[in-house]
Amino acid sequence: MAATSSSSVQHARQALAAQLREMQRDAGINGQELAAACGWYPSKVSRLLNAHTPPSEEDVQQWCRACGVPERAADLIASLRAVTGMFIDWRRMERAGLKQAQLAVLPLFDRTRRFRAYSSWLVPGLLQTRAYTTSVLRAVQRRRVAVDDVDAAVSARMDRQRILYEGDHQFAFLVEESVLRSCLGDAEALRGQLDHLATVAALPNVSLGIIPMAVGRVRMPVEGFWIFDTAQVNVELVSGYLTITRPSEISAYADTFAELAEQAVYGAAARDLLRQAGRGIA
């Protein structure tokens, strides 16, 4: 698994390591004996026990056999896969193309009732126009994806926007004012995007807050993130896609969202910022 500083991932690694340690203790064998049984150097046992290195599925199977409890391997491997799924690097997530990455999140979006999204660099995907999305996904494809299925990926993202109009979903979006003044596409795409934001913000189940560019801010911009009900947070990092499910960290992101929301403007004031951004397009 790719390295990440997220405490959610590290906490999950440590929990898995604790189960391995407990198994070793119950078997009554020391690290050298366990390493010899598995055909490893003793240093590998130490790295696994201290969560410095995540085990492979084969490592888990060998560990369980060495401790005399091979029947526990299946449950531990399931835990390992859950940890591994917390952080997915972009190459792995997008190796089959961008369309599949768009479709993969559909079940999460369908089951979520309350969405909170903050963006400091792009218009959130659910609010993007086709032209804006095309520019974004084309830039992504050129930078890191060998498969060119941009048109299909754009259509998948547009189809996902149906949840804005169906069901009992509630949406709170926060964007930095700077988001309104830059675009990977051309001026026409940005104008269309600003008009669309004003239209979507009028929906009864949508709140759009814009954080003005100003001095004396209480909370500076942070990485963009989505909060899905109170169950999960997703963060797009430079290196990959991070999923957070640890309650204390979800609360930290919820608190950050609330602090940023207090700095935002809404309604007529937000529409005024959209108009100002539109007038500033060359």
Side-chain angles (χ1 to χ4, degrees), residues 126-127 164-165 173 195-206 208:
L126 283 181
L127 302 182
L164 289 168
Y165 309 95
F173 297 100
D195 289 343
H196 183 65
L197 284 175
T199 299
V200 176
L203 294 173
N205 60 329
V206 174
L208 174 63

Side-chain angles (χ1 to χ4, degrees), residues 21-281:
R21 185 182 300 279
E22 179 183 7
M23 192 183 305
Q24 177 196 354
R25 184 173 57 248
D26 290 345
I29 57 177
N30 61 35
Q32 288 188 333
E33 291 168 335
L34 194 150
C38 295
W40 302 336
Y41 290 110
S43 59
K44 178 171 181 177
V45 173
S46 178
R47 291 196 303 272
L48 295 177
L49 288 175
N50 290 296
H52 293 158
T53 302
S56 67
E57 294 187 13
E58 177 60 27
D59 290 340
V60 170
Q61 290 172 339
Q62 287 184 270
W63 191 292
C64 291
R65 286 196 296 267
C67 293
V69 284
E71 67 277 6
R72 291 193 58 185
D75 284 345
L76 287 174
I77 287 173
S79 297
L80 173 64
R81 289 174 178 172
V83 175
T84 303
M86 282 183 167
F87 181 86
I88 305 177
D89 66 67
W90 291 121
R91 288 187 180 182
R92 177 184 169 196
M93 187 173 184
E94 299 167 344
R95 62 189 172 191
L98 292 172
K99 178 183 177 181
Q100 186 56 44
Q102 296 297 314
L103 294 176
V105 299
L106 275 177
L108 173 62
F109 277 66
D110 283 338
R111 67 175 179 263
T112 298
R113 289 297 169 262
R114 183 189 181 198
F115 294 79
R116 285 168 286 179
Y118 164 78
S119 182
S120 56
W121 55 293
L122 285 174
V123 172
L126 283 181
L127 302 182
Q128 292 176 4
T129 63
R130 180 174 290 273
Y132 189 99
T133 294
T134 299
S135 299
V136 170
L137 295 186
R138 176 58 66 190
V140 170
Q141 187 271 322
R142 286 172 176 163
R143 187 171 72 254
R144 67 187 187 216
V145 184
V147 177
D148 184 353
D149 64 345
V150 170
D151 290 343
V154 170
S155 293
R157 179 171 287 186
M158 294 299 102
D159 289 343
R160 192 168 73 210
Q161 293 181 0
R162 62 180 166 72
I163 67 169
L164 289 168
Y165 309 95
E166 299 176 357
D168 59 350
H169 307 284
Q170 297 293 320
F171 304 89
F173 297 100
L174 292 176
V175 298
E176 298 286 341
E177 183 183 354
S178 56
V179 169
L180 312 180
R181 299 178 180 274
S182 64
C183 179
L184 289 167
D186 57 21
E188 183 178 355
L190 184 54
R191 289 192 191 95
Q193 181 61 71
L194 295 176
D195 289 343
H196 183 65
L197 284 175
T199 299
V200 176
L203 294 173
N205 60 329
V206 174
S207 168
L208 174 63
I210 301 173
I211 304 172
M213 294 185 294
V215 297
R217 289 182 55 147
V218 176
R219 185 73 186 240
M220 292 302 295
V222 297
E223 70 274 13
F225 59 86
W226 286 74
I227 307 176
F228 300 91
D229 291 324
T230 58
Q232 179 174 320
V233 173
N234 284 124
V235 186
E236 292 190 6
L237 305 173
V238 171
S239 54
Y241 191 74
L242 178 64
T243 298
I244 294 170
T245 56
R246 191 179 180 189
S248 62
E249 285 196 272
I250 294 174
S251 294
Y253 275 94
D255 290 344
T256 296
F257 188 90
E259 292 171 2
L260 290 166
E262 290 179 355
Q263 299 178 78
V265 297
Y266 304 86
R271 290 192 296 273
D272 187 52
L273 288 179
L274 289 170
R275 285 192 292 268
Q276 291 179 36
R279 289 194 294 268
I281 298 174

